[in-house]
Amino acid sequence: MKVIKNYLYNVGYQVLAIIVPLITSAYVSRVLRPEGVGANSFTNSIIQYFILFANMGIGYYGNRQIAYVRENKDQMSKTFWEIQIVKTIMTLYAFVAFEIFMIFYTRQPEYMWAQSLNLIAIAFDISWFYEGIEDFKVTVLKNSLVKLLSMIAIFVFIKGPNDVTLYIIVLALSTLIGNLTLWPNIRRDLNKVSLKFLNPWQHFLPMAELFIPQIATQVYVQLNKTMLGVMANETASGYYQYSDNLVKLILALVTATGTVMLPHVANAVAHGDMNKVNQMLYKSFDFVSAVSYPMMFGLAAISLTLAPNYYGPGYYPVGPAMMIESIVILIIAWSNVLGVQYLLPTHHQKQFTISVTLGAVVNLFLNIPLIRLWGLTGAMWSTVFSEISVTLYQMWAVRHMLNFKELFADSWKYFIAGLAMFIPVFWMNTHLRSSWLMMGVEVLVGIVIYVGLLFILRAKILDEGKELVGEKLKK
């Protein structure tokens, strides 16, 4: 039950973290216009490279290491401060590198300096610690409050197309304040540790091992926006960002399992219970498959009218882009289970690193010809193919560790139900009058068709759901 509770907490926050920008983006897209939205997207993609350097792979590494030692509070306290010292030093180096970069960068410097607040904020991010001890309530409740306050600030202060810099500052300050709110709890959760007993640099090389896959991941997360801004225009970068925002909202419901399961699996590995690890993996894979298929087909079915209805005039290109990108919902869901929930906690960092590096290489090589030929559409297909390459390699890497027949046991049922849902919903979306009410009807029709077919096909996810409800009622 603790895993489920943490999953719900994490899903709640991940969804809120994306819903707030989505709520505000319907307003911001009209106020700042495509040019302002594109400028923010492009400059943010650049600052993310410096943030990546400051993070130094600490997200996954810190979460996992804390999970290994959380039953020994003294050791956990020592581990926390050692990792945090490394992170602080790396952030200082990253900021110096950013200042050197700004000596040569002359394109919209005011936007870039505003974006640098995001780099400062990263030094104070200790969410990895609370993920490691599986206390998601702390991060969710405090950051949720800050996100809501930032939403109010955007509606109050952002009034016209000249407020791009102010918009960037509001977003960055909300991240910084959200990170700072986590620190008061540290005194309660950790013991005092003497500096002379700390050896922070023992963590540097293991962090570096996970830093490489994070670099690779960042390449095909941010590089598309950067290359679109350079090779096409900043407006195309904004279109990509807005498509990505909606897809990431859907993905947050799925990939939240990775953050929750990583420390849980790591703890089972620390106790040598590999049978438990594999059983958790099979259940998790089945769950994300059951959720991802309808989300992928559902978003694709309504995307053509969702984007222009939501973002307003001038944002029609987001719809077709989103339809293409919806494919990655399923692909990333699978790679999240295999990579984050299995390869990392079971000490197969090498295979994980190779998989995401392969994705980055595929993305880079495809971006150049595809963006030149088809612009935004080319960038979207490049993203899809890069994610497919990541997942295929991870499947190859675990072929001797997992039973594929058990892993994909009910996948065909979810595919049939999802496809059967897509056809009538897509027809309704493209042939009937477009409105928010009609879109709500389309979503409802899709849910009824998908769930109804799961009952007809007797998908085992329904039996597990009944067992879960039964256990909850007994308690």
Side-chain angles (χ1 to χ4, degrees), residues 27-28 30-33 36 154 157-167:
Y27 169 75
V28 170
R30 290 164 172 82
V31 173
L32 298 185
R33 300 172 188 170
I154 287 170
F157 297 112
I158 310 304
K159 297 296 184 182
N162 295 323
D163 291 335
V164 176
T165 302
L166 185 57
Y167 175 64

Side-chain angles (χ1 to χ4, degrees), residues 436-455:
W436 285 110
L437 178 60
M438 180 54 65
M439 199 170 296
V441 172
E442 292 163 7
V443 171
L444 184 61
V445 168
I447 292 172
V448 170
I449 292 174
Y450 184 76
V451 175
L453 280 172
L454 289 192
F455 274 105

